[in-house]
Structures are given as C-alpha cells and as structure tokens.
Amino acid sequence: MEHVPPPAEELALLDRELARLDARRAQLLTRRAWLLRALEATGPAPWGPPQGSVAPWGPGGFGPARPASKRSVQNVLLVLGGLLLAVAALAFTLVSWGDLGIGGRSAVLTAVTAGALAAPATLLRRGLAATAEALAAVASVLMVLDAYAVYAVALPDADGAAYTGTAAAVLALLWTAYGLLLGRLKLPLPLAVVSAQLPLVLWVWAADGGPLWFSGALLVTAALDGVVALAAGRASVRVVACVALCATGGAGLLVALVESLTAAGPAGAVAPGALLLAGAALALAGARRAPVAFATAGGVVAGLVAVAAVGGVPAAGVPDGWRVLAYLLCAGAVLFSVRAPLGVAARGLAWASAAVAAGAVLVSLVPVTVVAAGPVTRLGAVWSGAPRGGARGAVGATDLPWDAMASAPVVLLLVAVALGAAFRWWDGLLRWAGPVLVPAPAWRGAAGAAGVALGWAGLMVLPAALDLSFAAARAGQLVLAVAAFGLAVAGLRAGARALAVTAGAVGVAGAVGAGLLALATEAATYTAFGLLVVVFVALAVALDRQEGVAPPVVSAAACAAVACAVVPLAALGSSLGLAVYEAAVPLLAVPAVTVLVGARLKGHPVAVPVEVTGAAAGVVAVAMAVDDARFLALVLALCGVLAAGTALRPERRPLAGYLATGLFVLAAWVRLAVSGVSAPEAYTLPVTVPALVVGVLRRRRDPSASSWTAYGAGLAVTLVPSLGAAWTDPHWTRPLLLGVAALGITLAGARLRLQALLVLGGVVLALDALHELAPYVVQVAGALPRWVAPALAGVLLLVVGATYEKRLRDARRLKEALGRMR
C-alpha cells in the first residue's frame, strides 16, 4: 500500500501537532490556576461550585444550584426583619394599646414613628441603602397603624369613610414630602401615589354623592395621576401613576357612560356628557406630551369618549332603533378633528372614529344575515305563489324586531358612501389629513371593497326594512346583481382589482337570492332566469374582452349562464302539463346549444367549461327520464346524436366518439329491453358485422389506428347485451356459445396483438365462466365449514405478501404488454 504522504513525513507532522497541543494545554492550565486564586480572594464564584467539589443538584434535579449572592441574602434578611417589625407593631396596636395610658401611648407613637422615619436618613449617609429602604417600609406601615390608632381612641365617633379619606390625603402628603426629602428611597413616592387615589372617592361616599359625583371624583383623581405621570422623574412613580390613571380614569368614564346610556331624555344626558367631554379633554391634554404609543392610545380614548358624550344627548331623545345612527354621525364629526394641532393624538381620534363606525356596522349586520339567507326557504315552496308578508315574508323575517333595527340600512349606506368617497378622492383625502394619516397603498382598495360590500348589504335589506312588497324585493335583488356585475367590470377597467372582486362576489350572491325568490311564481321564474342568462352572457363577453382577467373567471360566468338556462327549460314541462320524464326532452336544448357554442368558440378557454356544463344538463335530462324506459331510450339516443355531432370536431373526436357510441348502444339496449326482446343477438349481430367490416377497412387504410376505434364499438354492441342475457338465461346454450365466441375473440386478440379484442373477449369470457360456476361455488360454500373461507383468505394473503415484488413485476409486464398492443 502506498502512503500519501510517506510514513516518515506523516509521523513528523503528528509529532509537531502533539507538541503544539501540549503547549496550548499548559497555557490554559496556567490561566485556570490564576483564575482560581482570584476567585478565592474575592469569594466563591457566582456561577458554580469551587473546583474539586461535587456539584449539588438544583431544585429541579437537573443541574447545579447557583449559590446565592451577598445582595440577595441581604435583601431576604431585610425583608424578613421589616415584616417581623410590622407584625409586632400591628400586634402591639391591636392588643397592648389599651394597657398604656394616654402619655404612654403618645410616647410610643412618637418614639417609634419618629425613630423609624429618622433612621433611613442616617443609614443612607452610611451607604446602607437596602437597610434604609426596609426601615422606610416599616415606617410606612407604622404611619398607617398610627392613623388607625388615632381613629380608634381619639375619634371613635367620626365617619369612617370621611376619616379614611382624610387620613389617606395626609399620608399621601407626608409620604410625598418624606420621599422628596430622602430622594434615594424608592418606596415613599409610589406609596404617596397609591394613597392619593382614595381621598376624593371616600369623601364623595361619605357625603352620599350620586354616580355622577363618583365619576367626577374619579376623573379628578385621574387628572392628578396624569400630572404625576408626566412630571415625575422616577420610572417607578410614573409606572404607578399610569396604572392608577388607567384604573381611576376608566372607572370614572365607565360610570359616566352608563349614566349617559340610561338617561331618560336629552336633558338627563347633558351632565354625563359633560363629564365624558372633560375626560376626553384630559386624555387629549395628556396625549400631547406622552410618547407616541401612549399619545395614540390617548387619542383613541378621547375620540371614543367624545362620541359617547356628544352622541348620547341626541340618542337619548330618539327611538331605540335610531340611537346607533346618532353615535355614527358623531364619529363622522370626530374625523374632522384630525386637522387640529393635536400631534400624534389626532391619529388616535381617527382610529376611534373608525372603531365606532365598525361597531355600528356590526350592530346593523344582524338583519342583513337574515335577509341574505332567507331566500333559501323558497326551495320548499316552488310556484306556491307570492308569500304573505311582502318582502319580510319572502325571506322569513317577519318575526324580527324591525323597529329596533330601523336604522340598519341607513347606517350601512352612510358608511358605504363614506368609504366610496374615500376611495374616489383618496389622494385629496391624504393631502387634507396631512402627516397624521399615512396609510398603506392597499388601504385604498380595502376601502373600496368594503364600501361595495356595505352598500350592497344596505340596499339588499332596504325592502324588508321598509316593508315593501314581494315584487319590489325580487326586482331589487335583480337590479343589485346587475349593478354589482357592472361595477365589477368597471373596477377591472380602472385597475381596482379588490373592488372588482368584491363586486363580483356580491353580484353572485344577489343573483342567487334573486333566483331563489323567483321560484315563488311561474312568471317570475321565467323572467328572472331569462334575465340572468342574458346578464351572465354579457358579463362573460365583457370579462373576455378585458385584459388581465383570468380564464377561469370568464368560464365561471359562462357556466353560470348555462346553469341559469337549465331552470326555465326544466320548468317548461310543468308549464305544459308534461310528466317529469317527458320534460327531459326540452331540457336537451341546453346541451344542444352548448355544442353549437363550443363549435363556434373552438380553441377558446371557455369552450370546454361551457360544453362540460351542457353535458351536465344532459345528465340531468337522463335522470329525469329514468322513470319511463321509452323516453329514456329516446333521451339517450338524442344525447348520442349530440355527442356524435361534437365528435365531428377533430379536437373532440377521441372522447366524444366513445361517448356517442356508448350512448347509442345504451339507447339500443334500453329499447330492446322495452320491446321484450329475449334474443338480442338478432338485433345486435347485424350491427356488429358491418361495424367490424368498417373497422377492418379503417385498419387497412390507417394501420396506426387503435383497435378500440376500429373494433371496440362493434364488439361491444353484441358481447355486452349477450352477456346480460346469459346471466339471466337458465339454459346452457347461450352461455356456451357466448363463451366460445369470447374465447375466440380473446385468442384472436392475443395472436394479432389487438388490445380491444383481448380485453373485451377476456372480460366477457371471465364473467360468463363466473356465471356458470356460481351455483357450484355457492353449493360448495354451503357445504364447507365457516372457518374455511377466512382460512383460505389468510393463506392467499400470505402467499401474495410473500411474493409481492414478483406479482408487482408481473403486473407491470402485463400492463406494458397491453400498452404495446394497438
């Protein structure tokens, strides 16, 4: 074996590498020894145990525990000490206070409180900040206990709420002065903020003030919290003040809002509205000096509160069904405030206006869902006449509280108009708003789409809201569908794809609703579906001429036209008094027209979907004719004629030719069965012989032609009916002759390598043999024990599983052999 590099050179390389590793190891060991000496001089390492010791398990049992630092131990000790002192002071105040005289009590109160308050100053000068913080906490608890002791002994008859409020105010002032005097302490100032939340509320409670007084007290307190949050320099004080601001301000606004909503009239809503406006002003004042996120949130709160304040006055004087409209109009007025010099807060006002509009829309969508789904109920009452109750009865909405939802269409249409105006004059709107509103480009399309959807919803629910007639509701649905499709085409031409898609979707919904409503009467059915056919054809043509429209969209419109044409033609039989199976013949006009249209369109992408939809109408016609065999044969033959006409086109010939042959054969079989023919060979053999002759001539002229094209139809005409007759024939003659013929055809196919002969002959031969063996199989199965069948199945599965790969190869070879045949 040859070494590359040679052994001597490779050995020298290894020695040099080992020497380098030894030098690096010595360097690392030296550094490690120095680090250990440094750690021993300063204390144990905070990240792990000393070298050589066994690492203890942590609380989870999955790793070494981190030793506590000196500061954490100190904090634990100080907290425990302060807690014990507070408990002792509490026990002394509650238990031992009564054992002292007035002088003793005063001395204890003065000495303990003064000592606890004075000690932190001395500790801070000596650098013991943590200890000073703990004693300051103890002093705070003592001050609260002192206030309670004064009340219990000196002022037992005073009002509890009033005294508590006064004590909270005094404590807030004392803690504020103490915190400012000893600026390094962190606890007193946040405690002062918390204590300042109680005085005004408790004084109102003591004075038996009403809800509006409570709301005013909470809002004043929230204003003070806002001042502290903006002016304080310490982060902890700002955080506490912000939390208190949200709690007190939210509670005050909520109380005022409830009073505004429950006001008996406009006069009763003025005072709550004034409080709400005051809260909005406070929110805006604070938002102008707050950071961006808080300024936007403040603007949102101010906008919502302003809408509730101003809208609550007119809302209290209108019926319940129109209150939403009052708030919506106020929200629209708030939008004009974005031009005010409010900075980022103006953006929050815009968001608040949008939120109110969205809420009004959601409330107004309740009747829309009922009216949109109502036409489905007409499926169970086809041609039963115009429903009672007009437009409301047509959609099953007579039980809805329409008085409470009277403003729903107005709200939807107003918002739709506003969104449409924003879509139309988008650039001008942005220039008017200035830097306050900086929406993404996609927002314009979203505004247009939402405007279309809401406009359609408002107009759709309008007939039911006005309690119009059934004819008005049906006509309104049709007009809406036509208008929506026209808007979709216009949107595509203008490049507004989102608007066009939404208009198309609501147009389809309107068309479905109009069609379902039209099923109520005979005349309406023909009128509505005839109009829909014209509309969908025009839509398909318009979409096809528009650049950038996907072919599936055009195909969907064309297929919808075909589907709409099926309904009046299917209903024609009922109008003429025909039976269901007799009405199948006029329905074949739909596939006949689609065949002609497909021939006219040729290679157009719409041609195939239209022809497939027409073929589906033909399937419906066949299903309608099943009840009468004579008409079934006629319908099958007519469908075969249509398929044969389609097969004249070269691009449709392979599929349509087979389909036409199969339909003709089925029609012949059905007709033979109706005529009571027991020997079908007399009728099928005269067809088979010339068909096979034609196939031979075709193969001579075109050797590449498939055997299925040349012989498949001719053989199937005789073999399949004969097989059906053999399965019901109690004698042995026909099965024997059929088996001999099938065997000959199978052998001829194998000899001539013709796939059609081999497959048809083999299948018929196998089924014929199965028919002959069936009685004996049944007899043997009845004689054998019941466990034999599952046992044989298990053995078969084992054999197949053991030779699975070989069977798979055999199947592939058989498939390849059949594929090589013509």
Side-chain angles (χ1 to χ4, degrees):
M1 178 171 99
E2 245 181 73
H3 288 277
V4 181
E9 184 177 349
E10 184 178 1
L11 182 60
L13 289 173
L14 293 176
D15 289 339
R16 286 196 296 271
E17 185 66 21
L18 290 173
R20 189 183 67 79
L21 291 175
D22 289 340
R24 179 60 178 165
R25 184 173 185 275
Q27 180 183 1
L28 294 175
L29 288 174
T30 303
R31 178 63 178 171
R32 180 176 180 276
W34 182 87
L35 290 173
L36 287 176
R37 288 194 299 271
L39 290 174
E40 289 175 358
T42 59
W47 47 265
Q51 178 69 21
S53 63
V54 180
W57 291 99
F62 296 102
R66 298 176 61 184
S69 64
K70 292 180 178 180
R71 184 170 296 277
S72 62
V73 174
Q74 180 187 22
N75 291 336
V76 171
L77 294 177
L78 291 174
V79 170
L80 289 176
L83 182 62
L84 291 176
L85 286 176
V87 171
L90 180 61
F92 173 79
T93 303
L94 296 177
V95 178
S96 301
W97 184 259
D99 296 336
L100 298 176
I102 187 63
R105 297 173 187 177
S106 301
V108 170
L109 282 173
T110 303
V112 174
T113 305
L117 291 173
T122 304
L123 293 173
L124 287 174
R125 286 195 298 270
R126 297 186 178 183
L128 301 176
T131 307
E133 201 73 49
L135 286 179
V138 174
S140 302
V141 176
L142 290 174
M143 293 174 72
V144 175
L145 294 176
D146 292 344
Y148 169 74
V150 171
Y151 172 74
V153 175
L155 301 170
D157 297 329
D159 183 82
Y163 177 81
T164 305
T166 304
V170 173
L171 289 175
L173 293 175
L174 292 176
W175 281 331
T176 301
Y178 189 65
L180 295 176
L181 183 62
L182 301 179
R184 294 174 60 185
L185 292 178
K186 300 178 181 179
L187 185 61
L189 291 178
L191 283 178
V193 174
V194 173
S195 181
Q197 310 306 308
L198 301 177
L200 292 178
V201 177
L202 292 176
W203 288 338
V204 171
W205 186 8
D208 294 329
L212 294 180
W213 285 99
F214 274 102
S215 176
L218 288 169
L219 291 177
V220 172
T221 305
L224 296 177
D225 293 331
V227 172
V228 173
L230 294 174
R234 188 172 295 177
S236 59
V237 178
R238 291 199 302 270
V239 170
V240 174
C242 287
V243 173
L245 168 64
C246 295
T248 56
L253 293 175
L254 183 60
V255 172
L257 177 62
V258 172
E259 290 297 311
S260 176
L261 294 175
T262 58
V270 172
L275 287 174
L276 290 172
L277 283 178
L282 292 175
L284 283 178
R288 295 189 62 181
R289 296 183 55 189
V292 175
F294 291 99
T296 304
V300 171
V301 172
L304 294 175
V305 173
V307 170
V310 179
V313 177
V318 299
D320 291 340
W322 295 94
R323 289 193 171 190
V324 177
L325 183 60
Y327 291 110
L328 178 63
L329 294 176
C330 292
V334 169
L335 275 178
F336 291 95
S337 61
V338 298
R339 295 286 296 174
L342 299 175
V344 183
R347 188 179 304 171
L349 293 176
W351 281 110
S353 179
V356 174
V361 168
L362 288 177
V363 172
S364 303
L365 286 180
V366 175
V368 174
T369 56
V370 177
V371 174
V376 180
T377 59
R378 307 309 308 165
L379 289 174
V382 177
W383 288 7
S384 60
R388 296 180 180 179
R392 295 178 182 178
V395 295
T398 54
D399 296 333
L400 286 181
W402 286 103
D403 292 338
M405 298 182 296
S407 65
V410 180
V411 169
L412 294 173
L413 292 176
L414 279 178
V415 178
V417 169
L419 291 174
F423 175 80
R424 175 65 179 82
W425 294 287
W426 185 257
D427 295 333
L429 176 63
L430 295 184
R431 288 194 299 270
W432 175 81
V436 174
L437 297 179
V438 189
W443 283 26
R444 181 184 183 185
V452 170
L454 294 179
W456 172 81
L459 293 174
M460 182 190 63
V461 79
L462 189 60
L466 298 177
D467 198 14
L468 300 180
S469 64
F470 169 69
R474 187 180 66 246
Q477 291 275 27
L478 283 172
V479 172
L480 280 178
V482 175
F485 290 138
L487 186 60
V489 175
L492 288 174
R493 291 176 179 175
R497 186 166 296 273
L499 184 147
V501 171
T502 306
V506 298
V508 171
V512 172
L516 293 176
L517 289 179
L519 295 176
T521 61
E522 182 178 359
T525 300
Y526 291 111
T527 303
F529 281 96
L531 178 61
L532 288 176
V533 170
V534 176
V535 170
F536 279 113
V537 170
L539 178 63
V541 173
L543 292 176
D544 185 51
R545 294 177 179 177
Q546 181 64 39
E547 295 182 1
V549 179
V553 178
V554 184
S555 302
C559 293
V562 176
C564 290
V566 171
V567 177
L569 288 174
L572 183 61
S574 297
S575 299
L576 298 177
L578 302 178
V580 175
Y581 57 85
E582 293 174 332
V585 177
L587 184 59
L588 292 178
V590 175
V593 173
T594 57
V595 168
L596 297 177
V597 172
R600 177 69 178 83
L601 295 175
K602 293 184 178 179
H604 197 281
V606 178
V608 174
V610 168
E611 292 181 75
V612 171
T613 308
V619 174
V620 174
V622 172
M624 293 173 62
V626 168
D627 292 339
D628 189 276
R630 295 175 303 162
F631 273 88
L632 179 61
L634 175 61
V635 171
L636 288 172
L638 292 176
C639 290
V641 171
L642 296 176
T646 306
L648 295 176
R649 297 157 52 192
E651 71 275 9
R652 300 285 188 268
R653 186 168 299 156
L655 180 61
Y658 291 129
L659 181 61
T661 303
L663 289 171
F664 283 134
V665 170
L666 283 175
W669 293 344
V670 172
R671 188 61 194 170
L672 290 175
V674 172
S675 302
V677 175
S678 59
E681 293 82 5
Y683 300 90
T684 58
L685 282 175
V687 179
T688 296
V689 173
L692 292 178
V693 172
V694 171
V696 171
L697 296 177
R698 170 72 185 276
R699 289 272 297 174
R700 286 182 179 178
R701 187 186 310 171
D702 183 13
S704 62
S706 170
S707 61
W708 288 99
T709 304
Y711 310 119
L715 291 174
V717 167
T718 294
L719 290 179
V720 177
S722 297
L723 180 62
W727 270 75
T728 58
D729 194 345
H731 305 289
W732 58 273
T733 307
R734 177 178 281 111
L736 176 61
L737 294 176
L738 179 61
V740 171
L743 177 61
I745 294 171
T746 303
L747 295 176
R751 175 68 180 82
L752 300 176
R753 302 182 61 80
L754 297 176
Q755 189 181 101
L757 275 67
L758 180 63
V759 173
L760 284 174
V763 171
V764 172
L765 179 61
L767 293 176
D768 186 64
L770 178 62
H771 170 264
E772 293 303 306
L773 292 177
Y776 302 101
V777 173
V778 172
Q779 184 177 359
V780 171
L784 291 176
R786 294 186 177 181
W787 58 267
V788 174
L792 292 176
V795 172
L796 178 63
L797 290 176
L798 289 176
V799 172
V800 172
T803 60
Y804 174 75
E805 295 294 337
K806 187 174 184 302
R807 299 285 79 78
L808 192 60
R809 289 194 299 271
D810 294 341
R812 288 172 181 165
R813 283 196 294 268
L814 177 61
K815 179 182 177 182
E816 293 171 357
L818 285 175
R820 288 192 296 268
M821 294 183 178
R822 300 301 303 171

Short mmCIF file of all heavy atoms in Angstrom, two decimals, residues 371-412:
data_model
loop_
_atom_site.label_atom_id
_atom_site.label_comp_id
_atom_site.label_asym_id
_atom_site.label_seq_id
_atom_site.Cartn_x
_atom_site.Cartn_y
_atom_site.Cartn_z
N VAL A 371 -81.85 38.39 6.05
CA VAL A 371 -82.39 38.66 4.71
C VAL A 371 -81.57 37.93 3.64
O VAL A 371 -82.12 37.45 2.65
CB VAL A 371 -82.41 40.18 4.46
CG1 VAL A 371 -82.82 40.48 3.03
CG2 VAL A 371 -83.37 40.85 5.42
N ALA A 372 -80.25 37.83 3.84
CA ALA A 372 -79.41 37.16 2.84
C ALA A 372 -79.68 35.66 2.80
O ALA A 372 -79.66 35.04 1.72
CB ALA A 372 -77.94 37.43 3.14
N ALA A 373 -79.91 35.04 3.96
CA ALA A 373 -80.15 33.60 3.99
C ALA A 373 -81.62 33.23 3.79
O ALA A 373 -81.94 32.07 3.55
CB ALA A 373 -79.66 33.03 5.32
N GLY A 374 -82.52 34.22 3.87
CA GLY A 374 -83.94 33.93 3.79
C GLY A 374 -84.41 33.30 2.49
O GLY A 374 -85.27 32.42 2.50
N PRO A 375 -83.89 33.71 1.29
CA PRO A 375 -84.39 33.11 0.05
C PRO A 375 -84.25 31.60 -0.03
O PRO A 375 -84.93 30.96 -0.83
CB PRO A 375 -83.55 33.82 -1.02
CG PRO A 375 -83.21 35.14 -0.43
CD PRO A 375 -83.01 34.86 1.02
N VAL A 376 -83.35 31.01 0.76
CA VAL A 376 -83.20 29.55 0.72
C VAL A 376 -84.49 28.85 1.11
O VAL A 376 -84.78 27.74 0.66
CB VAL A 376 -82.03 29.13 1.64
CG1 VAL A 376 -81.83 27.63 1.63
CG2 VAL A 376 -80.74 29.82 1.20
N THR A 377 -85.31 29.49 1.92
CA THR A 377 -86.57 28.88 2.34
C THR A 377 -87.55 28.72 1.19
O THR A 377 -88.51 27.95 1.30
CB THR A 377 -87.23 29.73 3.45
OG1 THR A 377 -87.47 31.06 2.93
CG2 THR A 377 -86.31 29.83 4.65
N ARG A 378 -87.33 29.40 0.06
CA ARG A 378 -88.24 29.27 -1.07
C ARG A 378 -88.06 27.96 -1.82
O ARG A 378 -88.89 27.61 -2.67
CB ARG A 378 -88.02 30.43 -2.07
CG ARG A 378 -88.10 31.82 -1.48
CD ARG A 378 -89.34 32.06 -0.66
NE ARG A 378 -90.56 31.71 -1.36
CZ ARG A 378 -91.74 31.55 -0.78
NH1 ARG A 378 -91.84 31.71 0.54
NH2 ARG A 378 -92.79 31.25 -1.48
N LEU A 379 -86.99 27.21 -1.55
CA LEU A 379 -86.79 25.93 -2.22
C LEU A 379 -87.89 24.93 -1.88
O LEU A 379 -88.20 24.04 -2.68
CB LEU A 379 -85.42 25.35 -1.84
CG LEU A 379 -84.21 26.08 -2.42
CD1 LEU A 379 -82.92 25.50 -1.84
CD2 LEU A 379 -84.20 25.97 -3.94
N GLY A 380 -88.47 25.04 -0.72
CA GLY A 380 -89.54 24.14 -0.34
C GLY A 380 -90.92 24.61 -0.73
O GLY A 380 -91.91 23.95 -0.38
N ALA A 381 -91.01 25.74 -1.45
CA ALA A 381 -92.33 26.28 -1.84
C ALA A 381 -92.26 26.80 -3.26
O ALA A 381 -92.59 27.94 -3.55
CB ALA A 381 -92.75 27.38 -0.88
N VAL A 382 -91.80 25.94 -4.19
CA VAL A 382 -91.67 26.33 -5.59
C VAL A 382 -93.06 26.52 -6.20
O VAL A 382 -93.94 25.65 -6.09
CB VAL A 382 -90.87 25.28 -6.37
CG1 VAL A 382 -90.78 25.64 -7.84
CG2 VAL A 382 -89.47 25.15 -5.77
N TRP A 383 -93.25 27.65 -6.83
CA TRP A 383 -94.50 28.02 -7.53
C TRP A 383 -95.70 27.93 -6.60
O TRP A 383 -96.80 27.55 -7.00
CB TRP A 383 -94.72 27.14 -8.75
CG TRP A 383 -93.76 27.47 -9.87
CD1 TRP A 383 -92.71 28.33 -9.81
CD2 TRP A 383 -93.78 26.95 -11.19
NE1 TRP A 383 -92.05 28.38 -11.00
CE2 TRP A 383 -92.69 27.53 -11.89
CE3 TRP A 383 -94.60 26.04 -11.86
CZ2 TRP A 383 -92.41 27.24 -13.21
CZ3 TRP A 383 -94.32 25.74 -13.19
CH2 TRP A 383 -93.25 26.34 -13.86
N SER A 384 -95.48 28.29 -5.35
CA SER A 384 -96.58 28.29 -4.38
C SER A 384 -97.28 29.65 -4.32
O SER A 384 -98.19 29.84 -3.52
CB SER A 384 -96.06 27.93 -2.99
OG SER A 384 -95.09 28.86 -2.56
N GLY A 385 -96.84 30.59 -5.12
CA GLY A 385 -97.44 31.91 -5.12
C GLY A 385 -96.64 32.90 -4.29
O GLY A 385 -95.73 32.53 -3.52
N ALA A 386 -96.98 34.17 -4.45
CA ALA A 386 -96.28 35.22 -3.70
C ALA A 386 -96.51 35.02 -2.20
O ALA A 386 -97.64 34.81 -1.77
CB ALA A 386 -96.79 36.60 -4.12
N PRO A 387 -95.46 35.04 -1.41
CA PRO A 387 -95.62 34.78 0.03
C PRO A 387 -96.35 35.93 0.72
O PRO A 387 -96.32 37.08 0.28
CB PRO A 387 -94.18 34.66 0.51
CG PRO A 387 -93.39 35.46 -0.46
CD PRO A 387 -94.07 35.31 -1.78
N ARG A 388 -96.97 35.60 1.82
CA ARG A 388 -97.60 36.62 2.63
C ARG A 388 -96.54 37.41 3.41
O ARG A 388 -95.49 36.90 3.73
CB ARG A 388 -98.57 35.99 3.61
CG ARG A 388 -99.75 35.27 2.94
CD ARG A 388 -100.66 34.66 3.99
NE ARG A 388 -101.79 33.97 3.37
CZ ARG A 388 -102.74 33.32 4.05
NH1 ARG A 388 -102.68 33.30 5.39
NH2 ARG A 388 -103.72 32.72 3.41
N GLY A 389 -96.88 38.63 3.70
CA GLY A 389 -95.94 39.45 4.47
C GLY A 389 -95.00 40.25 3.62
O GLY A 389 -94.08 40.88 4.15
N GLY A 390 -95.19 40.27 2.30
CA GLY A 390 -94.36 41.09 1.43
C GLY A 390 -92.90 40.67 1.45
O GLY A 390 -92.57 39.49 1.48
N ALA A 391 -92.02 41.67 1.43
CA ALA A 391 -90.58 41.40 1.38
C ALA A 391 -90.11 40.67 2.63
O ALA A 391 -89.22 39.82 2.56
CB ALA A 391 -89.81 42.71 1.21
N ARG A 392 -90.70 40.98 3.78
CA ARG A 392 -90.28 40.30 5.01
C ARG A 392 -90.71 38.84 5.00
O ARG A 392 -89.97 37.96 5.43
CB ARG A 392 -90.87 41.02 6.22
CG ARG A 392 -90.35 42.45 6.38
CD ARG A 392 -91.00 43.16 7.56
NE ARG A 392 -90.53 44.54 7.68
CZ ARG A 392 -90.97 45.40 8.59
NH1 ARG A 392 -91.91 45.02 9.47
NH2 ARG A 392 -90.50 46.63 8.63
N GLY A 393 -91.91 38.57 4.52
CA GLY A 393 -92.36 37.20 4.45
C GLY A 393 -91.58 36.38 3.45
O GLY A 393 -91.40 35.17 3.62
N ALA A 394 -91.09 37.01 2.39
CA ALA A 394 -90.33 36.28 1.37
C ALA A 394 -89.02 35.73 1.93
O ALA A 394 -88.54 34.69 1.48
CB ALA A 394 -90.04 37.19 0.19
N VAL A 395 -88.44 36.42 2.88
CA VAL A 395 -87.16 35.98 3.45
C VAL A 395 -87.32 35.43 4.85
O VAL A 395 -86.32 35.20 5.55
CB VAL A 395 -86.14 37.14 3.45
CG1 VAL A 395 -85.81 37.55 2.03
CG2 VAL A 395 -86.67 38.33 4.23
N GLY A 396 -88.55 35.21 5.30
CA GLY A 396 -88.76 34.64 6.63
C GLY A 396 -88.32 35.53 7.76
O GLY A 396 -87.80 35.03 8.77
N ALA A 397 -88.50 36.85 7.60
CA ALA A 397 -88.03 37.80 8.62
C ALA A 397 -89.17 38.58 9.24
O ALA A 397 -88.98 39.71 9.70
CB ALA A 397 -87.02 38.76 8.00
N THR A 398 -90.36 37.99 9.26
CA THR A 398 -91.50 38.72 9.83
C THR A 398 -91.42 38.84 11.34
O THR A 398 -92.03 39.73 11.93
CB THR A 398 -92.80 38.01 9.44
OG1 THR A 398 -92.71 36.62 9.83
CG2 THR A 398 -93.02 38.08 7.93
N ASP A 399 -90.67 37.94 11.98
CA ASP A 399 -90.59 37.95 13.44
C ASP A 399 -89.47 38.83 13.98
O ASP A 399 -89.30 38.93 15.20
CB ASP A 399 -90.42 36.53 13.97
CG ASP A 399 -91.62 35.65 13.65
OD1 ASP A 399 -92.72 36.21 13.51
OD2 ASP A 399 -91.46 34.42 13.53
N LEU A 400 -88.67 39.42 13.12
CA LEU A 400 -87.58 40.26 13.59
C LEU A 400 -88.11 41.57 14.17
O LEU A 400 -89.11 42.11 13.68
CB LEU A 400 -86.62 40.58 12.44
CG LEU A 400 -85.69 39.46 11.96
CD1 LEU A 400 -84.80 39.98 10.84
CD2 LEU A 400 -84.83 38.94 13.10
N PRO A 401 -87.45 42.10 15.20
CA PRO A 401 -87.86 43.41 15.76
C PRO A 401 -87.38 44.55 14.88
O PRO A 401 -86.39 45.21 15.16
CB PRO A 401 -87.18 43.42 17.14
CG PRO A 401 -85.98 42.56 16.96
CD PRO A 401 -86.36 41.48 15.98
N TRP A 402 -88.11 44.80 13.80
CA TRP A 402 -87.66 45.79 12.83
C TRP A 402 -87.65 47.20 13.40
O TRP A 402 -86.88 48.06 12.94
CB TRP A 402 -88.55 45.73 11.59
CG TRP A 402 -88.28 44.53 10.75
CD1 TRP A 402 -89.00 43.38 10.68
CD2 TRP A 402 -87.16 44.33 9.89
NE1 TRP A 402 -88.42 42.48 9.82
CE2 TRP A 402 -87.28 43.05 9.31
CE3 TRP A 402 -86.07 45.12 9.53
CZ2 TRP A 402 -86.36 42.54 8.42
CZ3 TRP A 402 -85.14 44.61 8.63
CH2 TRP A 402 -85.29 43.34 8.08
N ASP A 403 -88.49 47.47 14.39
CA ASP A 403 -88.47 48.81 14.99
C ASP A 403 -87.13 49.10 15.67
O ASP A 403 -86.66 50.23 15.66
CB ASP A 403 -89.60 48.94 16.01
CG ASP A 403 -90.97 48.93 15.34
OD1 ASP A 403 -91.02 49.23 14.13
OD2 ASP A 403 -91.96 48.59 16.02
N ALA A 404 -86.54 48.06 16.25
CA ALA A 404 -85.24 48.24 16.92
C ALA A 404 -84.08 48.21 15.94
O ALA A 404 -82.94 48.51 16.32
CB ALA A 404 -85.05 47.15 17.97
N MET A 405 -84.34 47.85 14.68
CA MET A 405 -83.28 47.78 13.67
C MET A 405 -83.60 48.68 12.48
O MET A 405 -83.15 48.43 11.36
CB MET A 405 -83.09 46.34 13.21
CG MET A 405 -82.67 45.39 14.31
SD MET A 405 -82.38 43.70 13.73
CE MET A 405 -84.02 43.25 13.19
N ALA A 406 -84.39 49.71 12.72
CA ALA A 406 -84.83 50.56 11.61
C ALA A 406 -83.69 51.29 10.95
O ALA A 406 -83.74 51.60 9.75
CB ALA A 406 -85.87 51.55 12.14
N SER A 407 -82.64 51.61 11.70
CA SER A 407 -81.54 52.40 11.14
C SER A 407 -80.50 51.55 10.44
O SER A 407 -79.51 52.10 9.93
CB SER A 407 -80.87 53.20 12.25
OG SER A 407 -80.25 52.33 13.19
N ALA A 408 -80.67 50.23 10.39
CA ALA A 408 -79.63 49.36 9.83
C ALA A 408 -79.29 49.73 8.39
O ALA A 408 -78.10 49.93 8.06
CB ALA A 408 -80.07 47.90 9.93
N PRO A 409 -80.26 49.84 7.46
CA PRO A 409 -79.86 50.20 6.08
C PRO A 409 -79.26 51.59 5.99
O PRO A 409 -78.33 51.81 5.19
CB PRO A 409 -81.18 50.10 5.30
CG PRO A 409 -82.26 50.20 6.31
CD PRO A 409 -81.71 49.60 7.56
N VAL A 410 -79.73 52.54 6.79
CA VAL A 410 -79.18 53.89 6.73
C VAL A 410 -77.72 53.89 7.19
O VAL A 410 -76.85 54.52 6.57
CB VAL A 410 -80.03 54.84 7.60
CG1 VAL A 410 -79.47 56.25 7.56
CG2 VAL A 410 -81.47 54.83 7.14
N VAL A 411 -77.45 53.17 8.27
CA VAL A 411 -76.07 53.10 8.77
C VAL A 411 -75.15 52.46 7.73
O VAL A 411 -74.06 52.97 7.43
CB VAL A 411 -76.04 52.31 10.09
CG1 VAL A 411 -74.61 51.98 10.50
CG2 VAL A 411 -76.72 53.09 11.20
N LEU A 412 -75.59 51.35 7.17
CA LEU A 412 -74.76 50.66 6.18
C LEU A 412 -74.51 51.53 4.96
O LEU A 412 -73.38 51.59 4.44
CB LEU A 412 -75.43 49.36 5.78
CG LEU A 412 -75.56 48.29 6.88
CD1 LEU A 412 -76.38 47.12 6.40
CD2 LEU A 412 -74.19 47.82 7.33
#
